[in-house]
Amino acid sequence: MSTPETSRFVRLRVELVLEIEDEDAVTRAALRRIADDDGMPDEERVHAESAVTEDTAEALAQLVDPFALVGEVPGAELLQASWSGEEIDYDPDSPEWDLDDVDDDVDDDGDDDEGDGDEGEGEGEGEGGTGRAG
């Protein structure tokens, strides 16, 4: 048998920019998601409800589920995901938003030059947090 020369682990980087056309609709959907989550402890629920009503980016992060995005990819298992939401100034004509330059913050060995790459806070489903498949 031969030893594989490549890692079995792959980091998939996805960056999305969404335009929120109806902040109230996003907030209501996030609050419904929180209310429907029977496994969420009461203390976490109170914190999540407060966060999504104060910040549309937090509401959107509550609704995004990276596990659902790749959960049914054959031959792959999602081990860890981190995600966050933040309000940004967006100018599609700015060179800063050129998608061809996405890899500029990754050096030759594939490591993120700006730290460990985890942007989330805490454990959770969509709280801008880090989740682990289980």
Side-chain angles (χ1 to χ4, degrees):
M1 292 190 124
S2 65
T3 304
E5 294 183 22
T6 60
S7 174
R8 294 180 40 191
F9 301 97
V10 175
R11 180 183 305 224
L12 178 65
R13 295 180 190 265
V14 177
E15 183 170 334
L16 305 170
V17 176
L18 289 89
E19 180 177 3
I20 305 300
E21 297 176 350
D22 186 345
E23 290 183 11
D24 290 335
V26 173
T27 300
R28 286 191 306 271
L31 289 170
R32 276 193 304 276
R33 169 77 58 90
I34 293 166
D36 291 344
D37 186 349
D38 295 331
M40 185 181 291
D42 290 339
E43 185 176 309
E44 184 179 337
R45 184 181 315 278
V46 169
H47 172 73
E49 289 171 344
S50 174
V52 302
T53 56
E54 294 174 14
D55 185 353
T56 305
E58 286 290 331
L60 186 60
Q62 184 66 237
L63 295 168
V64 171
D65 183 358
F67 298 101
L69 179 65
V70 296
E72 295 187 28
V73 173
E77 178 182 356
L78 180 62
L79 299 177
Q80 181 177 350
S82 66
W83 68 104
S84 65
E86 63 181 339
E87 292 186 16
I88 58 168
D89 292 325
Y90 177 66
D91 177 4
D93 298 325
S94 169
E96 177 181 338
W97 294 101
D98 184 4
L99 293 180
D100 292 332
D101 293 334
V102 168
D103 294 334
D104 285 351
D105 66 340
V106 177
D107 60 23
D108 291 336
D109 65 0
D111 291 337
D112 188 338
D113 289 340
E114 295 180 14
D116 65 3
D118 288 335
E119 297 177 21
E121 296 176 8
E123 293 280 326
E125 295 178 356
E127 288 186 37
T130 300
R132 294 182 190 270

